[in-house]
Amino acid sequence: MHYTSTRDNSIVATASQAIAQGISKEGGLFVPTALPTLSAADFTVLQGLKYNERATYVLSRFLTDFTAAEVEECTTAAYGTQFDTASVAPLNAIDAEHNVLELWHGPTCAFKDMALQILPHLMRVSTQKSLPGEEVVILVATSGDTGKAALEGFKDAAGTRILVFYPVDGVSEMQRLQMITQEGNNVGVCAIRGNFDDAQTGVKTLFTDAAMQKQLKDGGMHFSSANSINWGRLVPQIVYYISAYCDMLAQGKVAMGEPINVVVPTGNFGNILAAYYAREMGTPIAKLICASNRNRVLTDFFESGVYDTARPFYTTTSPSMDILVSSNLERLLYHLADEDSDAVADMMRSLREDKKYTVPSVVKARMDALFAAGCADDEQVAATIKTVFDKTGYLLDTHTAVAFYVYDAYRAETGDTTPTVIASTANPYKFTPSILEALGVEKDEKPYEQVAQLHDKTGCAVPTPLAALRTKVVRFTDVCDGDAESMRETVCRMLHLD
Ligand SMILES: *Cc1c(COP(=O)(O)O)cnc(C)c1O
């Protein structure tokens, strides 16, 4: 099995090259040239397996230059007792219509752990194969959850260093505390004056900056990415949609082969793209429902076929979805445009130069067949959190609440009653102040008091890693400007390059 680039499909890479490199040299994203398929017989086998075994089964189909033992070593290390439930990604039927796929049982309490607990292992094996002897510098732009999950995954991993940039006013207090208290001898964290898109643009610029790359090379290092532009981030996410279908079967929600819908609260388009790949592999998924917050660039895109980022950027109560440039959409476009990398390169050029692009009508028609889309503003999110809690006793985080709202609206509007899985992307305690507001609780000023208040109000258990933050030492207080040059200086300083 091979990988190529969305912007130049003459490129051929192995899985380990795609993962070690992160992004293709001309700026495109690595995509598989063909997908492995799953039959009913595969699903029967998968149903009888534990989560880490399901991951081995699926990942070995993609990582064809890994040995079976290497894949198994990675999945065993990643999906063990660092998750607070043996099922790793449990499917929780909170009422007849809402099956919640809880993806936040890992060490940082957000779905990013599902990929970032395994990525360092995939990266180690990949680097040994394709760039032996070099130190990998993981450069991350985060809207809050990726940064912490990547730091936690890569801390003290041999042969790696990790540097994280986050928007100074763009993350929740809990997310900030998680990052600035990060332990480990190979980690660095810096805030930027700007938003997530600035951080992501800066990081992408550094990745493709020839002078920066030479400096690194001379120091025996190379960059790679832990953002979902890295194939190694996406491929583990495919597993939990396949796993969720197995659990829908086990819970009697569907018979073998009967379709489900999947709803995903979306930012960078990585999570929902993984659901698309699961579907293309043969998982019976009818509609992929893309849920956005007030930054509804994707909702408008699915409606009109025009991706237009020339619009105001809003900070919302679901900060991990405050994104205007959804990087992984590029992969979807490549597949839906009959793998025409020139067409994709043109659209991406147009995005850079004109801040927008329009998809060809054949692509739009394919999007319409596969996807539905909707959005929720902060008020609708707050009302959803309150209603669902009052009705069922289940506490949604703000991101999952976006998905809930959009799903209920979709179901009411279309009458589509296909059994549906809603991806739940974070534990509510990560966004405590917004949840308290939604529930109408007068907030204390101190973050840890707020956590206690939410616990008193709901009785929901506080995750151990969040409770433990209280006694951690603050290690990282740097702030730099959000342009590539300032970020370059910060990287050089942190890596001791001049
Ligand atoms: C990252 C994140 C999202 C968005 O996921 P994408 O893969 O970027 O679309 C949604 N919710 C939470 C809690 C996240 O951390």
Side-chain angles (χ1 to χ4, degrees), residues 138-170:
I138 305 293
L139 205 54
V140 182
T142 185
S143 57
D145 290 326
T146 298
K148 176 61 186 180
L151 287 162
E152 198 56 35
F154 280 95
K155 77 171 174 210
D156 296 329
T160 68
R161 301 210 213 172
I162 171 157
L163 308 176
V164 171
F165 291 97
Y166 69 92
V168 67
D169 296 318

Side-chain angles (χ1 to χ4, degrees), residues 406-417:
V406 168
Y407 172 58
D408 284 349
Y410 166 83
R411 190 177 163 117
E413 194 184 306
T414 60
D416 181 355
T417 57

Side-chain angles (χ1 to χ4, degrees), residues 111-112 145 265-271 320-321 399 425-426:
F111 93 95
K112 305 295 197 290
D145 290 326
T266 297
N268 218 5
F269 210 75
N271 202 1
S320 303
M321 296 159 62
H399 304 74
T425 49

Side-chain angles (χ1 to χ4, degrees), residues 213-420:
Q213 292 198 337
K214 172 152 193 324
Q215 243 175 332
L216 277 182
K217 189 97 195 148
D218 293 345
M221 299 179 236
H222 71 271
F223 278 140
S224 192
S225 167
N227 281 103
S228 53
I229 53 177
N230 192 318
W231 177 251
R233 258 293 291 285
L234 268 181
V235 71
Q237 298 185 174
I238 299 171
V239 176
Y240 52 73
Y241 290 108
I242 293 167
S243 176
Y245 190 76
C246 293
D247 294 343
M248 288 290 274
L249 286 170
Q251 294 181 17
K253 295 287 171 72
V254 287
M256 182 69 79
E258 271 177 13
I260 58 170
N261 287 339
V262 172
V263 191
V264 186
T266 297
N268 218 5
F269 210 75
N271 202 1
I272 193 165
L273 184 72
Y276 163 81
Y277 281 124
R279 183 186 190 280
E280 294 308 294
M281 290 170 71
T283 310
I285 295 173
K287 280 279 177 194
L288 299 158
I289 303 170
C290 177
S292 302
N293 65 23
R294 190 180 176 199
N295 293 296
R296 47 173 290 168
V297 60
L298 286 165
T299 315
D300 294 340
F301 173 63
F302 281 107
E303 217 163 83
S304 65
V306 180
Y307 196 88
D308 186 355
T309 63
R311 60 174 71 213
F313 174 88
Y314 300 109
T315 50
T316 71
T317 57
S318 44
S320 303
M321 296 159 62
D322 289 345
I323 292 173
L324 293 182
V325 183
S326 302
S327 302
N328 271 297
L329 201 52
E330 179 170 345
R331 287 188 163 107
L332 179 73
L333 294 176
Y334 178 80
H335 295 300
L336 297 189
D338 294 318
E339 315 192 338
D340 181 345
S341 56
D342 292 339
V344 174
D346 278 345
M347 286 188 262
M348 293 304 123
R349 191 173 313 118
S350 162
L351 182 64
R352 253 189 335 271
E353 289 168 7
D354 310 328
K355 294 191 177 328
K356 67 174 177 179
Y357 61 83
T358 304
V359 298
S361 55
V362 53
V363 172
K364 176 69 169 65
R366 289 173 182 163
M367 281 163 43
D368 291 344
L370 288 167
F371 289 87
C375 59
D377 64 24
D378 284 356
E379 271 173 36
Q380 291 162 331
V381 164
T384 303
I385 291 168
K386 176 144 177 47
T387 313
V388 172
F389 181 72
D390 289 347
K391 258 208 320 224
T392 68
Y394 190 83
L395 192 60
L396 299 171
D397 96 280
T398 45
H399 304 74
T400 309
V402 170
F404 242 76
Y405 179 90
V406 168
Y407 172 58
D408 284 349
Y410 166 83
R411 190 177 163 117
E413 194 184 306
T414 60
D416 181 355
T417 57
T418 305
T420 295

